[in-house]
Amino acid sequence: MAWALKLPLTDEVIESGLVQDFDASLSGIGQELGAGAYSMSDVLALPIFKQEESNLPADSDNKILPFQYVLCAATSPAVKLHDETLTYLNQGQSYEIRMLDNRKIGELPEITDKMVKSIIRVVFHDRRLQYTEHQQLEGWRWNRPGDRILDLDIPMSVGIIDPRANPTQLNTVEFLWDPSKRTSVFIQVHCISTEFTMRKHGGEKGVPFRIQIDTFKENESEEYTEHLHSASCQVKVFKPKGADRKQKTDREKMEKKAPQEKEKYQPSYKTTILTECCPWPEVTYVSNSPSPGFSTSTHNSFPVAEGNGSPTHQPEPVVQVADVSTSEVLENNLLPTATPQDAQQWLLRNRFSPFCRLFTNFSGADLLKLTREDVIQICGPADGIRLFNALKGRVVRPRLTIYVCQESQQAREQQPKHENGDAAANTFFVYHAIYLEELTAAELTEKIAQLFNISPRQINQIFKQGPTGIHVLVSDEMIQNFQDEVCFVLDTMKDDSNDGYHIILK
């Protein structure tokens, strides 16, 4: 029989034993759970997290999504779960976007039986390119003159009214539509993603774009400025049939992956649903005022046979320019003291409206400091040379300049005294410059009539006083042989046969 001797235990021994027991009880945690048993969703389902979620504002429950836009193009299967979908498009191919009315009964009654305006635009997905969007688009315009980034396929579209495309906004189209009727708009994207990559050595990845739709309703002034809904999706644009090849490559790549890896990726859907987003920052300019576009009719269905629907042949928009008297900008010359607002007025006045946004913060001094190479690089060769010449105030020299002065009755009376030298100091003649380009008698007649504010029909003939006082009829050939900057005194002689006059150049 063994006797156990019970001795009093010290505090240190007791504490050491408790620690060992606690470690042993924790050693089994995690061993019974497999690698796939742990789920963050189980953790978020705990009551403590549900209580925190209940305190958050339920925007998604109260948010009214009146419309839904569906792009009829398949999404890529090579997109991971919880990432935004990606859709491949072919350059220049028509793709349908279905405009669906998603309202419940009684929602937004103010747009019932009324039109809404939708603006479709192709923009950059990358934030870096968004900051330089205008420069990127202007560069594309110089490389592709006369082309647009985004077009509407009018014959294939259904239910759209008054489609418009501003020539200065290559990536934007707009139209009206009735939510209560079937509406499908077909769009064409003419730029490809690799046109905006930094380095172009072949095989580079193209930049993604966004197709965004912003919809507005009328306000009290019947202008479409009240925002209703915005949605967008991510796309990449390839050369013709390139999107089909890319879609096939992604599908084959996914088929080679293990089943566990496939679960990490989204399935490919036949259509792309545009997800809700914030309105595009530039939509504040939208108004119901007429703008260049496909048609000038309003609230009427667009007839297919009317016009060719090309927005590239539309006239330039009419720009309201402030009174010159309230500005430091002259009609032809830009002053160094001009403010950025004055410089904008000068650009508009001289038909440089496409570059107004580019030079928004440029004062007169800033523009005048630009070299010829700078302007050509910014605006392209044609507009760059024209802008540089306008900035430097370069005027084309006329082919012929003559100076004329109208002989007055007082000068005729003083002529004898002038010949004797008695009234030479009192004789004063004011000459006017006439600039000729065509060097014809008809042009000279028009210029003289403009100078003295009379009708050209009141001038019957123009004669030049020749030797011994003879009157020689002025012809085109005679004008072509005039010396540059020659001076004439104009004398008028009444025609007895009618109310006209003969002009004599002395």
Side-chain angles (χ1 to χ4, degrees), residues 71-77 79 84-90 95 193 207-209 211 233-238 243 246-247 250 268-274:
L71 173 63
C72 295
T75 60
S76 170
V79 178
E84 186 178 9
T85 60
L86 177 61
T87 305
Y88 302 135
L89 304 180
N90 288 317
Y95 289 92
S193 296
V207 300
F209 300 126
I211 294 179
C233 66
Q234 183 182 192
V235 300
K236 278 190 176 183
V237 184
F238 297 82
K246 178 62 174 173
Q247 187 81 359
D250 287 355
S268 176
Y269 299 98
K270 293 183 179 180
T271 59
T272 304
I273 298 179
L274 279 67

PDB file of all heavy atoms in Angstrom, residues 71-77 79 84-90 95 193 207-209 211 233-238 243 246-247 250 268-274:
ATOM      1  N   LEU A  71     -27.244  46.025 -72.116  1.00  0.00           N
ATOM      2  CA  LEU A  71     -26.406  45.977 -73.312  1.00  0.00           C
ATOM      3  C   LEU A  71     -26.393  44.547 -73.832  1.00  0.00           C
ATOM      4  O   LEU A  71     -26.003  43.616 -73.112  1.00  0.00           O
ATOM      5  CB  LEU A  71     -24.988  46.454 -72.988  1.00  0.00           C
ATOM      6  CG  LEU A  71     -23.935  46.321 -74.093  1.00  0.00           C
ATOM      7  CD1 LEU A  71     -24.296  47.169 -75.306  1.00  0.00           C
ATOM      8  CD2 LEU A  71     -22.555  46.690 -73.560  1.00  0.00           C
ATOM      9  N   CYS A  72     -26.816  44.368 -75.073  1.00  0.00           N
ATOM     10  CA  CYS A  72     -26.919  43.020 -75.644  1.00  0.00           C
ATOM     11  C   CYS A  72     -25.557  42.565 -76.155  1.00  0.00           C
ATOM     12  O   CYS A  72     -25.301  42.498 -77.368  1.00  0.00           O
ATOM     13  CB  CYS A  72     -27.965  42.996 -76.752  1.00  0.00           C
ATOM     14  SG  CYS A  72     -29.636  43.325 -76.156  1.00  0.00           S
ATOM     15  N   ALA A  73     -24.666  42.278 -75.222  1.00  0.00           N
ATOM     16  CA  ALA A  73     -23.342  41.738 -75.518  1.00  0.00           C
ATOM     17  C   ALA A  73     -22.919  40.905 -74.325  1.00  0.00           C
ATOM     18  O   ALA A  73     -23.167  41.271 -73.171  1.00  0.00           O
ATOM     19  CB  ALA A  73     -22.340  42.856 -75.789  1.00  0.00           C
ATOM     20  N   ALA A  74     -22.285  39.780 -74.596  1.00  0.00           N
ATOM     21  CA  ALA A  74     -21.931  38.829 -73.541  1.00  0.00           C
ATOM     22  C   ALA A  74     -20.805  39.360 -72.672  1.00  0.00           C
ATOM     23  O   ALA A  74     -19.900  40.054 -73.147  1.00  0.00           O
ATOM     24  CB  ALA A  74     -21.540  37.491 -74.155  1.00  0.00           C
ATOM     25  N   THR A  75     -20.863  39.018 -71.378  1.00  0.00           N
ATOM     26  CA  THR A  75     -19.796  39.398 -70.460  1.00  0.00           C
ATOM     27  C   THR A  75     -18.674  38.373 -70.528  1.00  0.00           C
ATOM     28  O   THR A  75     -18.857  37.230 -70.939  1.00  0.00           O
ATOM     29  CB  THR A  75     -20.330  39.473 -69.025  1.00  0.00           C
ATOM     30  OG1 THR A  75     -20.832  38.187 -68.645  1.00  0.00           O
ATOM     31  CG2 THR A  75     -21.444  40.499 -68.921  1.00  0.00           C
ATOM     32  N   SER A  76     -17.498  38.798 -70.097  1.00  0.00           N
ATOM     33  CA  SER A  76     -16.331  37.921 -70.130  1.00  0.00           C
ATOM     34  C   SER A  76     -16.396  36.897 -68.997  1.00  0.00           C
ATOM     35  O   SER A  76     -16.752  37.240 -67.862  1.00  0.00           O
ATOM     36  CB  SER A  76     -15.054  38.744 -70.015  1.00  0.00           C
ATOM     37  OG  SER A  76     -13.930  37.912 -69.812  1.00  0.00           O
ATOM     38  N   PRO A  77     -16.024  35.638 -69.259  1.00  0.00           N
ATOM     39  CA  PRO A  77     -16.007  34.637 -68.175  1.00  0.00           C
ATOM     40  C   PRO A  77     -14.758  34.724 -67.312  1.00  0.00           C
ATOM     41  O   PRO A  77     -14.676  34.035 -66.295  1.00  0.00           O
ATOM     42  CB  PRO A  77     -16.061  33.317 -68.931  1.00  0.00           C
ATOM     43  CG  PRO A  77     -15.400  33.604 -70.241  1.00  0.00           C
ATOM     44  CD  PRO A  77     -15.729  35.029 -70.571  1.00  0.00           C
ATOM     45  N   VAL A  79     -13.628  36.991 -65.310  1.00  0.00           N
ATOM     46  CA  VAL A  79     -13.745  38.041 -64.304  1.00  0.00           C
ATOM     47  C   VAL A  79     -14.025  37.386 -62.972  1.00  0.00           C
ATOM     48  O   VAL A  79     -14.938  36.551 -62.852  1.00  0.00           O
ATOM     49  CB  VAL A  79     -14.864  39.035 -64.666  1.00  0.00           C
ATOM     50  CG1 VAL A  79     -15.010  40.090 -63.571  1.00  0.00           C
ATOM     51  CG2 VAL A  79     -14.573  39.704 -65.999  1.00  0.00           C
ATOM     52  N   GLU A  84     -16.274  43.903 -61.058  1.00  0.00           N
ATOM     53  CA  GLU A  84     -17.236  44.406 -62.038  1.00  0.00           C
ATOM     54  C   GLU A  84     -17.135  43.617 -63.334  1.00  0.00           C
ATOM     55  O   GLU A  84     -16.037  43.194 -63.747  1.00  0.00           O
ATOM     56  CB  GLU A  84     -16.975  45.895 -62.322  1.00  0.00           C
ATOM     57  CG  GLU A  84     -18.017  46.520 -63.227  1.00  0.00           C
ATOM     58  CD  GLU A  84     -17.759  47.995 -63.457  1.00  0.00           C
ATOM     59  OE1 GLU A  84     -16.677  48.475 -63.058  1.00  0.00           O
ATOM     60  OE2 GLU A  84     -18.637  48.668 -64.039  1.00  0.00           O
ATOM     61  N   THR A  85     -18.254  43.417 -63.976  1.00  0.00           N
ATOM     62  CA  THR A  85     -18.265  42.677 -65.232  1.00  0.00           C
ATOM     63  C   THR A  85     -17.483  43.432 -66.300  1.00  0.00           C
ATOM     64  O   THR A  85     -17.327  44.650 -66.248  1.00  0.00           O
ATOM     65  CB  THR A  85     -19.703  42.451 -65.725  1.00  0.00           C
ATOM     66  OG1 THR A  85     -20.325  43.731 -65.925  1.00  0.00           O
ATOM     67  CG2 THR A  85     -20.498  41.640 -64.721  1.00  0.00           C
ATOM     68  N   LEU A  86     -17.004  42.689 -67.289  1.00  0.00           N
ATOM     69  CA  LEU A  86     -16.257  43.261 -68.403  1.00  0.00           C
ATOM     70  C   LEU A  86     -16.828  42.694 -69.697  1.00  0.00           C
ATOM     71  O   LEU A  86     -17.016  41.483 -69.823  1.00  0.00           O
ATOM     72  CB  LEU A  86     -14.767  42.922 -68.291  1.00  0.00           C
ATOM     73  CG  LEU A  86     -13.866  43.391 -69.433  1.00  0.00           C
ATOM     74  CD1 LEU A  86     -13.885  44.910 -69.563  1.00  0.00           C
ATOM     75  CD2 LEU A  86     -12.431  42.899 -69.224  1.00  0.00           C
ATOM     76  N   THR A  87     -17.118  43.572 -70.640  1.00  0.00           N
ATOM     77  CA  THR A  87     -17.732  43.179 -71.901  1.00  0.00           C
ATOM     78  C   THR A  87     -16.843  43.608 -73.054  1.00  0.00           C
ATOM     79  O   THR A  87     -16.315  44.731 -73.058  1.00  0.00           O
ATOM     80  CB  THR A  87     -19.126  43.823 -72.039  1.00  0.00           C
ATOM     81  OG1 THR A  87     -19.922  43.481 -70.904  1.00  0.00           O
ATOM     82  CG2 THR A  87     -19.815  43.342 -73.308  1.00  0.00           C
ATOM     83  N   TYR A  88     -16.676  42.724 -74.019  1.00  0.00           N
ATOM     84  CA  TYR A  88     -15.849  43.012 -75.188  1.00  0.00           C
ATOM     85  C   TYR A  88     -16.743  43.424 -76.360  1.00  0.00           C
ATOM     86  O   TYR A  88     -17.749  42.763 -76.654  1.00  0.00           O
ATOM     87  CB  TYR A  88     -15.026  41.782 -75.579  1.00  0.00           C
ATOM     88  CG  TYR A  88     -14.126  41.269 -74.475  1.00  0.00           C
ATOM     89  CD1 TYR A  88     -14.045  39.903 -74.174  1.00  0.00           C
ATOM     90  CD2 TYR A  88     -13.354  42.147 -73.725  1.00  0.00           C
ATOM     91  CE1 TYR A  88     -13.218  39.426 -73.168  1.00  0.00           C
ATOM     92  CE2 TYR A  88     -12.529  41.685 -72.708  1.00  0.00           C
ATOM     93  CZ  TYR A  88     -12.465  40.331 -72.436  1.00  0.00           C
ATOM     94  OH  TYR A  88     -11.657  39.876 -71.435  1.00  0.00           O
ATOM     95  N   LEU A  89     -16.347  44.506 -77.037  1.00  0.00           N
ATOM     96  CA  LEU A  89     -17.095  45.017 -78.182  1.00  0.00           C
ATOM     97  C   LEU A  89     -16.191  45.095 -79.405  1.00  0.00           C
ATOM     98  O   LEU A  89     -14.977  45.301 -79.275  1.00  0.00           O
ATOM     99  CB  LEU A  89     -17.670  46.405 -77.892  1.00  0.00           C
ATOM    100  CG  LEU A  89     -18.572  46.552 -76.658  1.00  0.00           C
ATOM    101  CD1 LEU A  89     -19.047  47.996 -76.540  1.00  0.00           C
ATOM    102  CD2 LEU A  89     -19.751  45.597 -76.726  1.00  0.00           C
ATOM    103  N   ASN A  90     -16.793  44.950 -80.582  1.00  0.00           N
ATOM    104  CA  ASN A  90     -16.071  45.126 -81.838  1.00  0.00           C
ATOM    105  C   ASN A  90     -16.202  46.565 -82.320  1.00  0.00           C
ATOM    106  O   ASN A  90     -17.272  47.170 -82.211  1.00  0.00           O
ATOM    107  CB  ASN A  90     -16.626  44.173 -82.913  1.00  0.00           C
ATOM    108  CG  ASN A  90     -16.250  42.731 -82.662  1.00  0.00           C
ATOM    109  OD1 ASN A  90     -15.112  42.425 -82.301  1.00  0.00           O
ATOM    110  ND2 ASN A  90     -17.202  41.828 -82.855  1.00  0.00           N
ATOM    111  N   TYR A  95     -24.497  47.652 -81.477  1.00  0.00           N
ATOM    112  CA  TYR A  95     -24.911  46.898 -80.301  1.00  0.00           C
ATOM    113  C   TYR A  95     -26.181  47.524 -79.735  1.00  0.00           C
ATOM    114  O   TYR A  95     -26.285  48.742 -79.602  1.00  0.00           O
ATOM    115  CB  TYR A  95     -23.816  46.883 -79.232  1.00  0.00           C
ATOM    116  CG  TYR A  95     -22.614  46.038 -79.599  1.00  0.00           C
ATOM    117  CD1 TYR A  95     -21.523  46.608 -80.236  1.00  0.00           C
ATOM    118  CD2 TYR A  95     -22.579  44.686 -79.314  1.00  0.00           C
ATOM    119  CE1 TYR A  95     -20.415  45.849 -80.578  1.00  0.00           C
ATOM    120  CE2 TYR A  95     -21.477  43.908 -79.649  1.00  0.00           C
ATOM    121  CZ  TYR A  95     -20.402  44.500 -80.286  1.00  0.00           C
ATOM    122  OH  TYR A  95     -19.309  43.730 -80.630  1.00  0.00           O
ATOM    123  N   SER A 193      -9.481  50.205 -77.739  1.00  0.00           N
ATOM    124  CA  SER A 193      -8.852  50.433 -76.433  1.00  0.00           C
ATOM    125  C   SER A 193      -7.358  50.690 -76.536  1.00  0.00           C
ATOM    126  O   SER A 193      -6.778  51.411 -75.716  1.00  0.00           O
ATOM    127  CB  SER A 193      -9.116  49.232 -75.521  1.00  0.00           C
ATOM    128  OG  SER A 193     -10.501  49.099 -75.262  1.00  0.00           O
ATOM    129  N   VAL A 207      -6.848  49.971 -72.853  1.00  0.00           N
ATOM    130  CA  VAL A 207      -7.458  50.574 -71.673  1.00  0.00           C
ATOM    131  C   VAL A 207      -8.954  50.289 -71.694  1.00  0.00           C
ATOM    132  O   VAL A 207      -9.577  50.247 -72.754  1.00  0.00           O
ATOM    133  CB  VAL A 207      -7.195  52.096 -71.644  1.00  0.00           C
ATOM    134  CG1 VAL A 207      -5.715  52.385 -71.614  1.00  0.00           C
ATOM    135  CG2 VAL A 207      -7.839  52.786 -72.847  1.00  0.00           C
ATOM    136  N   PRO A 208      -9.551  50.074 -70.542  1.00  0.00           N
ATOM    137  CA  PRO A 208     -11.004  49.842 -70.507  1.00  0.00           C
ATOM    138  C   PRO A 208     -11.766  51.163 -70.596  1.00  0.00           C
ATOM    139  O   PRO A 208     -11.312  52.210 -70.139  1.00  0.00           O
ATOM    140  CB  PRO A 208     -11.210  49.168 -69.152  1.00  0.00           C
ATOM    141  CG  PRO A 208     -10.079  49.662 -68.306  1.00  0.00           C
ATOM    142  CD  PRO A 208      -8.921  49.902 -69.225  1.00  0.00           C
ATOM    143  N   PHE A 209     -12.952  51.098 -71.187  1.00  0.00           N
ATOM    144  CA  PHE A 209     -13.859  52.226 -71.259  1.00  0.00           C
ATOM    145  C   PHE A 209     -15.068  51.959 -70.376  1.00  0.00           C
ATOM    146  O   PHE A 209     -15.257  50.854 -69.860  1.00  0.00           O
ATOM    147  CB  PHE A 209     -14.345  52.453 -72.706  1.00  0.00           C
ATOM    148  CG  PHE A 209     -13.242  52.748 -73.678  1.00  0.00           C
ATOM    149  CD1 PHE A 209     -13.100  51.999 -74.838  1.00  0.00           C
ATOM    150  CD2 PHE A 209     -12.351  53.768 -73.451  1.00  0.00           C
ATOM    151  CE1 PHE A 209     -12.098  52.265 -75.746  1.00  0.00           C
ATOM    152  CE2 PHE A 209     -11.338  54.050 -74.357  1.00  0.00           C
ATOM    153  CZ  PHE A 209     -11.213  53.288 -75.505  1.00  0.00           C
ATOM    154  N   ILE A 211     -19.325  52.644 -70.664  1.00  0.00           N
ATOM    155  CA  ILE A 211     -20.518  53.148 -71.341  1.00  0.00           C
ATOM    156  C   ILE A 211     -21.485  53.589 -70.247  1.00  0.00           C
ATOM    157  O   ILE A 211     -21.946  52.762 -69.452  1.00  0.00           O
ATOM    158  CB  ILE A 211     -21.155  52.081 -72.243  1.00  0.00           C
ATOM    159  CG1 ILE A 211     -20.216  51.736 -73.401  1.00  0.00           C
ATOM    160  CG2 ILE A 211     -22.499  52.560 -72.771  1.00  0.00           C
ATOM    161  CD1 ILE A 211     -20.758  50.664 -74.329  1.00  0.00           C
ATOM    162  N   CYS A 233     -21.368  50.466 -67.430  1.00  0.00           N
ATOM    163  CA  CYS A 233     -20.711  49.170 -67.449  1.00  0.00           C
ATOM    164  C   CYS A 233     -19.322  49.332 -68.046  1.00  0.00           C
ATOM    165  O   CYS A 233     -19.031  50.320 -68.733  1.00  0.00           O
ATOM    166  CB  CYS A 233     -21.517  48.138 -68.246  1.00  0.00           C
ATOM    167  SG  CYS A 233     -21.639  48.506 -70.014  1.00  0.00           S
ATOM    168  N   GLN A 234     -18.463  48.367 -67.770  1.00  0.00           N
ATOM    169  CA  GLN A 234     -17.083  48.404 -68.230  1.00  0.00           C
ATOM    170  C   GLN A 234     -16.946  47.597 -69.523  1.00  0.00           C
ATOM    171  O   GLN A 234     -17.432  46.471 -69.613  1.00  0.00           O
ATOM    172  CB  GLN A 234     -16.160  47.820 -67.153  1.00  0.00           C
ATOM    173  CG  GLN A 234     -14.690  47.888 -67.506  1.00  0.00           C
ATOM    174  CD  GLN A 234     -13.819  47.259 -66.424  1.00  0.00           C
ATOM    175  OE1 GLN A 234     -12.600  47.407 -66.409  1.00  0.00           O
ATOM    176  NE2 GLN A 234     -14.442  46.536 -65.506  1.00  0.00           N
ATOM    177  N   VAL A 235     -16.289  48.193 -70.523  1.00  0.00           N
ATOM    178  CA  VAL A 235     -16.123  47.525 -71.806  1.00  0.00           C
ATOM    179  C   VAL A 235     -14.701  47.719 -72.305  1.00  0.00           C
ATOM    180  O   VAL A 235     -13.986  48.624 -71.864  1.00  0.00           O
ATOM    181  CB  VAL A 235     -17.126  48.063 -72.867  1.00  0.00           C
ATOM    182  CG1 VAL A 235     -18.554  47.848 -72.433  1.00  0.00           C
ATOM    183  CG2 VAL A 235     -16.857  49.532 -73.161  1.00  0.00           C
ATOM    184  N   LYS A 236     -14.311  46.847 -73.213  1.00  0.00           N
ATOM    185  CA  LYS A 236     -13.096  47.012 -73.996  1.00  0.00           C
ATOM    186  C   LYS A 236     -13.465  46.850 -75.463  1.00  0.00           C
ATOM    187  O   LYS A 236     -14.277  45.987 -75.806  1.00  0.00           O
ATOM    188  CB  LYS A 236     -12.031  45.983 -73.598  1.00  0.00           C
ATOM    189  CG  LYS A 236     -11.234  46.356 -72.365  1.00  0.00           C
ATOM    190  CD  LYS A 236     -10.042  45.416 -72.166  1.00  0.00           C
ATOM    191  CE  LYS A 236      -9.186  45.859 -70.986  1.00  0.00           C
ATOM    192  NZ  LYS A 236      -7.980  45.005 -70.816  1.00  0.00           N
ATOM    193  N   VAL A 237     -12.877  47.692 -76.299  1.00  0.00           N
ATOM    194  CA  VAL A 237     -13.221  47.707 -77.718  1.00  0.00           C
ATOM    195  C   VAL A 237     -12.026  47.209 -78.515  1.00  0.00           C
ATOM    196  O   VAL A 237     -10.897  47.684 -78.327  1.00  0.00           O
ATOM    197  CB  VAL A 237     -13.634  49.121 -78.174  1.00  0.00           C
ATOM    198  CG1 VAL A 237     -14.088  49.096 -79.621  1.00  0.00           C
ATOM    199  CG2 VAL A 237     -14.737  49.673 -77.277  1.00  0.00           C
ATOM    200  N   PHE A 238     -12.282  46.255 -79.391  1.00  0.00           N
ATOM    201  CA  PHE A 238     -11.247  45.653 -80.222  1.00  0.00           C
ATOM    202  C   PHE A 238     -11.525  45.961 -81.689  1.00  0.00           C
ATOM    203  O   PHE A 238     -12.616  46.412 -82.059  1.00  0.00           O
ATOM    204  CB  PHE A 238     -11.208  44.134 -80.022  1.00  0.00           C
ATOM    205  CG  PHE A 238     -10.839  43.705 -78.625  1.00  0.00           C
ATOM    206  CD1 PHE A 238     -11.789  43.678 -77.621  1.00  0.00           C
ATOM    207  CD2 PHE A 238      -9.540  43.334 -78.326  1.00  0.00           C
ATOM    208  CE1 PHE A 238     -11.461  43.288 -76.334  1.00  0.00           C
ATOM    209  CE2 PHE A 238      -9.194  42.942 -77.042  1.00  0.00           C
ATOM    210  CZ  PHE A 238     -10.157  42.925 -76.049  1.00  0.00           C
ATOM    211  N   ALA A 243     -13.175  41.178 -80.608  1.00  0.00           N
ATOM    212  CA  ALA A 243     -13.906  40.863 -79.384  1.00  0.00           C
ATOM    213  C   ALA A 243     -14.340  39.405 -79.369  1.00  0.00           C
ATOM    214  O   ALA A 243     -14.308  38.749 -78.318  1.00  0.00           O
ATOM    215  CB  ALA A 243     -15.111  41.789 -79.252  1.00  0.00           C
ATOM    216  N   LYS A 246     -11.292  37.348 -78.470  1.00  0.00           N
ATOM    217  CA  LYS A 246     -10.957  37.501 -77.059  1.00  0.00           C
ATOM    218  C   LYS A 246     -11.928  36.736 -76.169  1.00  0.00           C
ATOM    219  O   LYS A 246     -11.522  36.097 -75.182  1.00  0.00           O
ATOM    220  CB  LYS A 246     -10.960  38.993 -76.699  1.00  0.00           C
ATOM    221  CG  LYS A 246     -10.664  39.286 -75.242  1.00  0.00           C
ATOM    222  CD  LYS A 246      -9.280  38.830 -74.826  1.00  0.00           C
ATOM    223  CE  LYS A 246      -8.968  39.270 -73.410  1.00  0.00           C
ATOM    224  NZ  LYS A 246      -7.693  38.722 -72.897  1.00  0.00           N
ATOM    225  N   GLN A 247     -13.204  36.766 -76.513  1.00  0.00           N
ATOM    226  CA  GLN A 247     -14.196  36.020 -75.743  1.00  0.00           C
ATOM    227  C   GLN A 247     -13.922  34.521 -75.822  1.00  0.00           C
ATOM    228  O   GLN A 247     -14.023  33.800 -74.812  1.00  0.00           O
ATOM    229  CB  GLN A 247     -15.599  36.342 -76.278  1.00  0.00           C
ATOM    230  CG  GLN A 247     -16.731  35.765 -75.457  1.00  0.00           C
ATOM    231  CD  GLN A 247     -17.037  36.606 -74.242  1.00  0.00           C
ATOM    232  OE1 GLN A 247     -16.386  37.611 -74.002  1.00  0.00           O
ATOM    233  NE2 GLN A 247     -18.018  36.179 -73.459  1.00  0.00           N
ATOM    234  N   ASP A 250     -10.845  33.686 -73.603  1.00  0.00           N
ATOM    235  CA  ASP A 250     -11.178  33.652 -72.180  1.00  0.00           C
ATOM    236  C   ASP A 250     -11.965  32.389 -71.832  1.00  0.00           C
ATOM    237  O   ASP A 250     -11.754  31.771 -70.770  1.00  0.00           O
ATOM    238  CB  ASP A 250     -11.996  34.884 -71.804  1.00  0.00           C
ATOM    239  CG  ASP A 250     -11.148  36.145 -71.776  1.00  0.00           C
ATOM    240  OD1 ASP A 250      -9.920  36.031 -71.947  1.00  0.00           O
ATOM    241  OD2 ASP A 250     -11.717  37.240 -71.595  1.00  0.00           O
ATOM    242  N   SER A 268     -20.256  33.610 -67.585  1.00  0.00           N
ATOM    243  CA  SER A 268     -20.480  34.547 -68.682  1.00  0.00           C
ATOM    244  C   SER A 268     -21.977  34.655 -68.952  1.00  0.00           C
ATOM    245  O   SER A 268     -22.662  33.645 -69.129  1.00  0.00           O
ATOM    246  CB  SER A 268     -19.758  34.064 -69.943  1.00  0.00           C
ATOM    247  OG  SER A 268     -20.035  34.918 -71.034  1.00  0.00           O
ATOM    248  N   TYR A 269     -22.482  35.889 -68.964  1.00  0.00           N
ATOM    249  CA  TYR A 269     -23.894  36.125 -69.230  1.00  0.00           C
ATOM    250  C   TYR A 269     -24.068  36.623 -70.664  1.00  0.00           C
ATOM    251  O   TYR A 269     -23.208  37.306 -71.216  1.00  0.00           O
ATOM    252  CB  TYR A 269     -24.455  37.144 -68.243  1.00  0.00           C
ATOM    253  CG  TYR A 269     -24.355  36.700 -66.798  1.00  0.00           C
ATOM    254  CD1 TYR A 269     -23.314  37.140 -65.991  1.00  0.00           C
ATOM    255  CD2 TYR A 269     -25.305  35.843 -66.246  1.00  0.00           C
ATOM    256  CE1 TYR A 269     -23.217  36.741 -64.667  1.00  0.00           C
ATOM    257  CE2 TYR A 269     -25.211  35.439 -64.924  1.00  0.00           C
ATOM    258  CZ  TYR A 269     -24.158  35.884 -64.142  1.00  0.00           C
ATOM    259  OH  TYR A 269     -24.068  35.477 -62.837  1.00  0.00           O
ATOM    260  N   LYS A 270     -25.213  36.301 -71.253  1.00  0.00           N
ATOM    261  CA  LYS A 270     -25.454  36.674 -72.642  1.00  0.00           C
ATOM    262  C   LYS A 270     -25.630  38.174 -72.815  1.00  0.00           C
ATOM    263  O   LYS A 270     -25.399  38.712 -73.898  1.00  0.00           O
ATOM    264  CB  LYS A 270     -26.690  35.936 -73.167  1.00  0.00           C
ATOM    265  CG  LYS A 270     -26.513  34.424 -73.280  1.00  0.00           C
ATOM    266  CD  LYS A 270     -27.742  33.782 -73.875  1.00  0.00           C
ATOM    267  CE  LYS A 270     -27.555  32.277 -74.020  1.00  0.00           C
ATOM    268  NZ  LYS A 270     -28.750  31.622 -74.609  1.00  0.00           N
ATOM    269  N   THR A 271     -26.066  38.866 -71.782  1.00  0.00           N
ATOM    270  CA  THR A 271     -26.251  40.314 -71.834  1.00  0.00           C
ATOM    271  C   THR A 271     -25.535  40.970 -70.666  1.00  0.00           C
ATOM    272  O   THR A 271     -25.175  40.293 -69.684  1.00  0.00           O
ATOM    273  CB  THR A 271     -27.744  40.686 -71.798  1.00  0.00           C
ATOM    274  OG1 THR A 271     -28.324  40.169 -70.590  1.00  0.00           O
ATOM    275  CG2 THR A 271     -28.471  40.147 -73.012  1.00  0.00           C
ATOM    276  N   THR A 272     -25.335  42.275 -70.777  1.00  0.00           N
ATOM    277  CA  THR A 272     -24.652  43.047 -69.741  1.00  0.00           C
ATOM    278  C   THR A 272     -25.632  44.049 -69.158  1.00  0.00           C
ATOM    279  O   THR A 272     -26.180  44.892 -69.890  1.00  0.00           O
ATOM    280  CB  THR A 272     -23.439  43.789 -70.310  1.00  0.00           C
ATOM    281  OG1 THR A 272     -22.560  42.846 -70.937  1.00  0.00           O
ATOM    282  CG2 THR A 272     -22.694  44.529 -69.220  1.00  0.00           C
ATOM    283  N   ILE A 273     -25.875  43.952 -67.868  1.00  0.00           N
ATOM    284  CA  ILE A 273     -26.771  44.888 -67.189  1.00  0.00           C
ATOM    285  C   ILE A 273     -25.940  46.036 -66.632  1.00  0.00           C
ATOM    286  O   ILE A 273     -25.002  45.824 -65.869  1.00  0.00           O
ATOM    287  CB  ILE A 273     -27.551  44.192 -66.066  1.00  0.00           C
ATOM    288  CG1 ILE A 273     -28.420  43.084 -66.647  1.00  0.00           C
ATOM    289  CG2 ILE A 273     -28.398  45.197 -65.300  1.00  0.00           C
ATOM    290  CD1 ILE A 273     -29.212  42.309 -65.613  1.00  0.00           C
ATOM    291  N   LEU A 274     -26.263  47.245 -67.027  1.00  0.00           N
ATOM    292  CA  LEU A 274     -25.546  48.414 -66.532  1.00  0.00           C
ATOM    293  C   LEU A 274     -25.926  48.642 -65.074  1.00  0.00           C
ATOM    294  O   LEU A 274     -27.114  48.648 -64.716  1.00  0.00           O
ATOM    295  CB  LEU A 274     -25.876  49.655 -67.355  1.00  0.00           C
ATOM    296  CG  LEU A 274     -25.123  49.814 -68.685  1.00  0.00           C
ATOM    297  CD1 LEU A 274     -25.520  48.734 -69.685  1.00  0.00           C
ATOM    298  CD2 LEU A 274     -25.345  51.195 -69.289  1.00  0.00           C
TER     299      LEU A 274
END
